[in-house]
Amino acid sequence: MSEQNQSIPPVKKAAGRKKVELDPRLIAYKGVWVFIEHERGEVHSVSWELLGEGRKLADMLGVELAGVVMAAPGESGARFCQEAGFYGADLCYLIEDPVLSDYRNEPFTKGLTDLVNQYQPEILLLGATTLGRDLAGSVATTLQTGLTADCTGLTIDPENRSLAATRPTFGGSLLCTILTLNYRPQMATVRPRVMPTPIPAPDTHRTMRIIPHTLGMVETDIISKVLQFIPDNTQNKAQLPFADIIVAGGRGLKNADNFKLVWNLAKVLGAEVGASRPVVQAGWVDTDRQVGQSGKTVRPKLYIAAGISGAVQHRVGMEDSDVIIAINNDPNAPIFDFATYGIVGNAMQILPALTEAFRQNLAAARLAS
Amino acid sequence: MHIVVCIKQVPDSSQIRVHPVTNTIMRQGVPAIINPYDLLALEEALRLKDCIAGTTVTVLTMGPPQAEDALRKALSFGADHAILVTDRAFAGADTLATSYAIAAAIRQIEKKEPVDLVFAGKQTIDGDTAQVGPGVAKRLNLNLLTYVSKIASLDLDKREIIIHRRAEGGVQVIQTQIPCLITMLEGSNEMRFASMDNMFRAARHPLQIWNKDAAGIEDPAKIGLKGSPTVVSKVFAPHAKTIKAEQIDVERKTSKEIATAMLSKLFREHPKLHAEIAKLAG
């Protein structure tokens, strides 16, 4: 029965139909905030994606859009604030303190919670990254407010000025829209690549205001210490969310050996390799290559799906691809309901033929240029 | 050492179907399982029990009476005690109300034996929120360690733990104090098989069944639907509209002919893709 609101169709009356008067104490909460996540001198793209959505929400509400930047001195916090302005923020709250040099739950929770209590935003958005999920869950509990995870759509319910957050549930089989009626701020997380990246406008006439804030914490207050940071070996790691071309395989390939056909085509195309959940569970490929509701969300220019039936679980992670080529021997496979091109056939035969055709085509193009 | 492992019984989401007309979940025949991410938490706790003598593992779940099955399963893997928190008053709880109830139950457990570590799955496969673990940690003022891939060391005398956790772009090695709450990352371990002895023990082991009073709920306004800030306003099936794929003609064609037809169509209708692929392929 836990998490029932977010996972089970309601047995109670729908709350959205009735206009709910906001508790007078909560009327003071105004404005839309986006937590700006950064690592090693770069802002995480999900923060820009959230500013794009946040801008729309702020305009619907007629309020300001603010970024929240927490960084160690010398980590370019002020530059991140300026950049947030290019992506639509009106102002930024900036906390700079040496204890913020690595992400740790305690200082980040305190900083963000204090800012919310002091400046009282009505909406607070974070990326559904490992950092964002760790922080959002802690902040929402500390503030005793509602938090909706992994939203795929955000809008304002005109009846009660509430954030209407839509998210998949039951592995993507259903969508539900969730409201936080009588609590503020209304919090939500969104996964990377679910929302489009807005185009930055560096010459905007908006003036960026930076509101500095002190953390009020010293290193000795914090129990957890980061002993070491081991960066990922990016050469071997899948970079699916930002891949331009993805070749993905599913259960229809029958066994791990046949999955090599996916790698072969990907190699010729310079593409990343993706997989559906059953394939990852069977251990044919690593977990970080899983595309779908419980894996990565991708939006490449070309997605080739071989032997993937197109269950909702998978679909929600890749349907925003520009062009989808689906290969499946079942003409009734759900993937043919949303792919751009369909090939009804044996993926084990079509994949090598496609690999060869692309190889010849690219060789010819190289000769010609 | 005393470890509490929080688990949840969930419907196997890979087997869920939505009724095409009524847009409701068809639960018939969908098996109830222990949330797979919770098994990683349980296994890690059992591994600590294997190496540290005198360790007890208590599994805790909140759910309907049939969640007893999940607890018996956990006992069969080797957990020592099992507690089911169940009460109609918990129905409709969102993550905030759930973490309130779980935290209260853990406080009750602590009255009998102090708790050194709490384990939870990183998220469930039905709600997928990843919010209850951090919520419980905050409420109990436990150091929070999410997405842990490895427990590197645990010093009970100094009450010090060193773990590896997944962060954005790398792995953080963190040292902190117990008691703490840990959520385990997938791939960090694999659940053992239940032993014959434990299976027999699990079948007849008495479970503790707690209603809201036994679970130590102090403020009934903070549990269940009443205690939940979020409300579901609408549930609907995704993608009412479908755009059928344009089928490539495969009648009496060889794979090679199909592939050639596919390529020429793709590059004719999406000319920019060709340059894109040429660039990536180098």
Side-chain angles (χ1 to χ4, degrees):
Chain A
M1 65 181 75
S2 62
E3 299 179 44
Q4 189 155 27
N5 269 341
Q6 304 205 343
S7 61
I8 294 175
V11 286
K12 58 207 177 200
K13 67 181 190 313
R17 303 281 64 85
K18 179 172 113 245
K19 188 173 167 70
V20 178
E21 289 303 325
L22 194 61
D23 187 321
R25 287 172 298 130
L26 299 175
I27 291 171
Y29 284 75
K30 283 272 182 297
V32 178
W33 284 14
V34 171
F35 177 78
I36 309 287
E37 180 177 339
H38 61 92
E39 80 235 10
R40 279 164 294 289
E42 293 289 335
V43 171
H44 197 298
S45 61
V46 73
S47 303
W48 302 149
E49 293 157 20
L50 286 175
L51 281 174
E53 289 305 300
R55 185 71 257 164
K56 291 181 212 160
L57 299 175
D59 290 345
M60 281 185 238
L61 290 166
V63 296
E64 287 189 313
L65 173 67
V68 176
V69 177
M70 298 174 68
E75 267 191 334
S76 336
R79 175 166 62 84
F80 300 153
C81 294
Q82 293 300 335
E83 283 178 35
F86 304 160
Y87 287 94
D90 298 304
L91 71 157
C92 272
Y93 297 92
L94 172 63
I95 306 184
E96 285 187 297
D97 195 291
V99 303
L100 299 172
S101 66
D102 286 296
Y103 174 74
R104 281 178 293 176
N105 181 273
E106 302 147 273
F108 275 76
T109 301
K110 179 181 190 309
L112 189 51
T113 308
D114 287 354
L115 276 177
V116 167
N117 283 331
Q118 181 162 349
Y119 296 100
Q120 306 191 322
E122 60 202 291
I123 292 172
L124 172 56
L125 307 176
L126 298 93
T129 59
T130 53
L131 188 162
R133 287 175 148 214
D134 186 276
L135 181 60
S138 304
V139 169
T141 309
T142 311
L143 294 168
Q144 299 277 300
T145 191
L147 166 60
T148 306
D150 290 2
C151 302
T152 53
L154 298 171
T155 189
I156 300 296
D157 185 329
E159 275 183 79
N160 44 32
R161 248 184 95 91
S162 285
L163 176 67
T166 297
R167 72 183 304 267
T169 182
F170 281 111
S173 314
L174 285 175
L175 292 169
C176 57
T177 301
I178 292 175
L179 307 175
T180 300
L181 290 175
N182 225 348
Y183 296 79
R184 292 292 180 271
Q186 306 157 86
M187 292 180 60
T189 65
V190 178
R191 293 186 349 174
R193 304 300 276 162
V194 167
M195 304 296 181
T197 314
I199 296 156
D203 55 352
T204 176
H205 60 273
R206 281 183 222 279
T207 45
M208 167 56 62
R209 305 196 312 278
I210 297 181
I211 298 172
H213 189 87
T214 47
L215 182 64
M217 215 175 189
V218 290
E219 185 57 45
T220 46
D221 296 336
I222 305 165
I223 296 164
S224 299
K225 309 289 174 198
V226 178
L227 303 181
Q228 198 190 347
F229 184 82
I230 308 160
D232 289 330
N233 181 349
T234 46
Q235 281 183 328
N236 296 333
K237 275 212 86 75
Q239 300 293 333
L240 282 177
F242 294 95
D244 283 328
I245 304 175
I246 293 172
V247 186
R251 200 158 26 181
L253 291 169
K254 306 276 193 254
N255 60 50
D257 209 41
N258 288 334
F259 200 86
K260 284 182 192 146
L261 302 171
V262 170
W263 286 97
N264 292 347
L265 176 55
K267 196 172 170 208
V268 166
L269 294 174
E272 278 285 0
V273 167
S276 63
R277 186 166 70 178
V279 162
V280 171
Q281 280 178 345
W284 301 355
V285 288
D286 286 343
T287 314
D288 61 347
R289 298 202 176 271
Q290 186 178 327
V291 173
Q293 168 62 14
S294 49
K296 301 277 193 296
T297 300
V298 299
R299 36 172 73 217
K301 297 189 170 90
L302 174 62
Y303 191 94
I304 302 177
I308 292 176
S309 65
V312 185
Q313 214 290 128
H314 189 74
R315 176 177 183 162
V316 293
M318 45 67 79
E319 65 187 330
D320 284 334
S321 308
D322 293 347
V323 177
I324 299 168
I325 297 178
I327 309 158
N328 203 295
N329 58 7
D330 175 7
N332 298 316
I335 196 146
F336 292 130
D337 291 340
F338 60 96
T340 323
Y341 303 111
I343 300 174
V344 177
N346 182 338
M348 276 83 85
Q349 286 161 9
I350 304 285
L351 271 179
L354 272 178
T355 307
E356 184 55 23
F358 273 116
R359 199 188 58 74
Q360 286 181 5
N361 181 292
L362 289 166
R366 263 193 294 272
L367 272 180
S369 63
Chain B
M1 186 167 61
H2 185 202
I3 305 175
V4 171
V5 183
C6 303
I7 67 169
K8 185 186 180 190
Q9 189 182 50
V10 296
D12 187 349
S13 68
S14 63
Q15 296 192 36
I16 283 180
R17 298 286 173 272
V18 176
H19 192 282
V21 179
T22 60
N23 283 345
T24 49
I25 293 281
M26 297 194 287
R27 287 170 171 278
Q28 265 177 337
V30 177
I33 56 173
I34 297 180
N35 175 42
Y37 296 115
D38 300 347
L39 289 179
L40 296 155
L42 178 58
E43 172 62 23
E44 203 63 27
L46 294 174
R47 285 184 185 190
L48 289 173
K49 178 179 155 75
D50 290 343
C51 2
I52 303 172
T55 299
T56 52
V57 174
T58 301
V59 277
L60 169 67
T61 194
M62 179 168 108
Q66 56 268 33
E68 176 183 339
D69 297 344
L71 291 176
R72 298 233 176 257
K73 187 90 188 161
L75 288 168
S76 77
F77 291 126
D80 299 290
H81 308 293
I83 298 165
L84 170 61
V85 177
T86 187
D87 199 310
R88 293 295 305 163
F90 292 124
D94 72 355
T95 57
L96 191 76
T98 300
S99 69
Y100 179 81
I102 302 273
I106 293 175
R107 278 194 204 100
Q108 288 301 104
I109 294 171
E110 284 212 282
K111 285 183 182 164
K112 277 195 188 147
E113 189 185 352
V115 174
D116 302 291
L117 284 177
V118 178
F119 278 98
K122 66 162 190 158
Q123 66 196 67
T124 58
I125 59 164
D126 57 348
D128 268 318
T129 69
Q131 289 165 12
V132 174
V136 170
K138 284 293 133 186
R139 290 179 183 281
L140 295 173
N141 201 21
L142 301 171
N143 295 308
L144 172 63
L145 300 166
T146 49
Y147 309 107
V148 171
S149 55
K150 182 176 150 184
I151 296 176
S153 75
L154 175 60
D155 185 331
L156 285 176
D157 297 329
K158 288 204 230 152
R159 316 234 358 116
E160 191 179 276
I161 187 168
I162 298 175
I163 56 93
H164 292 209
R165 74 177 287 270
R166 163 106 324 250
E168 291 298 309
V171 173
Q172 280 183 327
V173 182
I174 289 190
Q175 174 193 306
T176 193
Q177 295 285 313
I178 58 171
C180 59
L181 184 141
I182 292 175
T183 75
M184 295 300 297
L185 195 66
E186 64 269 34
S188 50
N189 64 40
E190 209 170 318
M191 180 42 87
R192 63 194 58 200
F193 291 104
S195 71
M196 208 46 109
D197 282 357
N198 278 331
M199 280 159 77
F200 284 125
R201 188 178 59 88
R204 48 170 202 267
H205 189 89
L207 301 180
Q208 296 179 61
I209 303 196
W210 291 358
N211 64 12
K212 69 177 187 336
D213 299 321
I217 301 299
E218 284 168 2
D219 185 353
K222 289 192 172 168
I223 59 167
L225 190 56
K226 246 189 308 182
S228 300
T230 62
V231 288
V232 179
S233 77
K234 194 168 70 168
V235 177
F236 53 104
H239 326 297
K241 67 173 171 39
T242 55
I243 308 147
K244 286 276 174 199
E246 186 180 343
Q247 292 291 347
I248 305 299
D249 183 16
V250 294
E251 280 302 309
R252 286 189 293 273
K253 298 269 195 309
T254 65
S255 294
K256 189 179 171 187
E257 286 164 340
I258 296 167
T260 311
M262 180 68 253
L263 250 66
S264 51
K265 189 165 192 61
L266 178 69
F267 291 144
R268 192 168 63 244
E269 294 176 6
H270 304 276
K272 278 189 196 155
L273 256 180
H274 196 255
E276 204 64 56
I277 293 173
K279 195 177 77 203
L280 281 168

